[in-house]
Amino acid sequence: MVETSPRWWLVVGSLRSGGTERQVVVLANELVRRGETVGIALIDGRHAPAYLLDSKVAIAALGEGGALGALRATFKLRRLVRHATIVYSFLDAANLVAATATLGLRTRLIWGMRASDIASSGVARISSRLCRPFSSRVSVMIGNAAACLEYYQRHGYRPRSSTVVHNGIDLSTWRPDESARREVRAELGLPDECVLIGFVARVDPQKRHDLLLQAFARCANAYLVLAGRGTDDPSGAIARQIRSMGLEERVRALGERRDMNRLTAALDIVCCASHYEGFPNSLLEGMACGVCCVASDVGGVREVLGEAGIVVADHTVTAFADALKSVIDDEVRRRELAVAGRKRAEEFFSIGAMTDATVAAATG
């Protein structure tokens, strides 16, 4: 158990991997750099953090997941946050634990909303319903995209205030890198001059790998990299679809990676084919690396890309394939969008801007 009493407690399911988890680490590190005392409480503490965390950030593993684990986590968190000023939780399950743990305390409760729809799992639906009555206690509901706030407000969430704080990215780590481009392509056994598409997402129906693979199959003269938890399962649905479509020579399924900045910098196109999203980090990372982005028109995609990418409004295989072809076949347009994306990332999505907005919302 943590001995110190941080001013900020960030509450999240785990730090195993994922866009939300990475943003929690980014925020914690930057708050510590600014002189704040910060702790991260993990509802499921079984997994080691996937991202580099400042040694000054306190870590508290509250449980091991599941309903009983969440109950135990609630009691442990209450002991931890008695003297905290701010408790900022992320996603519905953690929001429920944080709301329950802070009942009767004078702590400022912040909820992070990072989805524009509810996942298909029963746990997500139940957590969302149980959170709703607690929402009136929330000092600020922060969405990383306007679509996230709109979704929860339509479903009866009534916080005292709400605001949008877009994700932030380390622009010195995520950047164009020609040497990484050459090295990664050599490592994957791909021609240096080929058009390389990347899709970074865990295996989940939400992400629509099936649609992307069908669209990619219609695109000649290109290769595809799939990265994310479960994509490298040789007996999984993705592997079966790749084999059934005869795409083995043109697709590399890599699983989870710890060098995503290198891999992203090696791409020509980053895609997001999801059925729903909040603020897709993979697109922001692609823009920061100077890579053209193509994405389905869901959640906060338009907030991320602006005019610096291609947004596919029609959620069909044909529309996605046509969007990919339009930049595979037009190198000039592809490069123009890549340059515009890097400029947009620099202008709007720095870690400093994200932290400034978070502090203003949480302490205002």
Side-chain angles (χ1 to χ4, degrees), residues 82-138:
R82 283 176 299 177
H83 303 295
T85 303
I86 297 163
V87 173
Y88 183 6
S89 55
F90 297 80
L91 304 179
D92 291 333
N95 290 344
L96 180 59
V97 169
T100 309
T102 56
L103 281 170
L105 301 181
R106 301 182 70 177
T107 303
R108 190 168 169 82
L109 179 62
I110 315 296
W111 275 0
M113 321 309 287
R114 311 181 77 81
S116 61
D117 202 339
I118 296 297
S120 56
S121 76
V123 172
R125 291 196 301 271
I126 292 169
S127 296
S128 178
R129 288 195 208 100
L130 291 175
C131 279
R132 193 181 308 156
F134 289 99
S135 65
S136 61
R137 293 188 51 248
V138 176

Side-chain angles (χ1 to χ4, degrees), residues 44-104:
D44 183 348
R46 290 175 294 178
H47 305 288
Y51 309 112
L52 187 60
L53 193 60
D54 192 295
S55 61
K56 294 179 182 178
V57 178
I59 289 285
L62 304 180
E64 295 186 352
L68 185 58
L71 183 61
R72 290 172 177 164
T74 300
F75 287 107
K76 289 182 180 180
L77 182 62
R78 185 172 181 83
R79 292 197 295 270
L80 283 177
V81 304
R82 283 176 299 177
H83 303 295
T85 303
I86 297 163
V87 173
Y88 183 6
S89 55
F90 297 80
L91 304 179
D92 291 333
N95 290 344
L96 180 59
V97 169
T100 309
T102 56
L103 281 170

Side-chain angles (χ1 to χ4, degrees), residues 311-346:
V311 180
V312 186
D314 186 359
H315 297 185
T316 64
V317 171
T318 298
F320 213 92
D322 289 345
L324 288 174
K325 290 176 189 176
S326 72
V327 284
I328 289 172
D329 298 336
D330 191 339
E331 183 178 358
V332 172
R333 187 183 185 202
R334 196 168 69 236
R335 290 185 179 277
E336 288 175 347
L337 290 171
V339 170
R342 174 65 189 187
K343 182 178 179 182
R344 181 170 173 80
E346 292 173 338

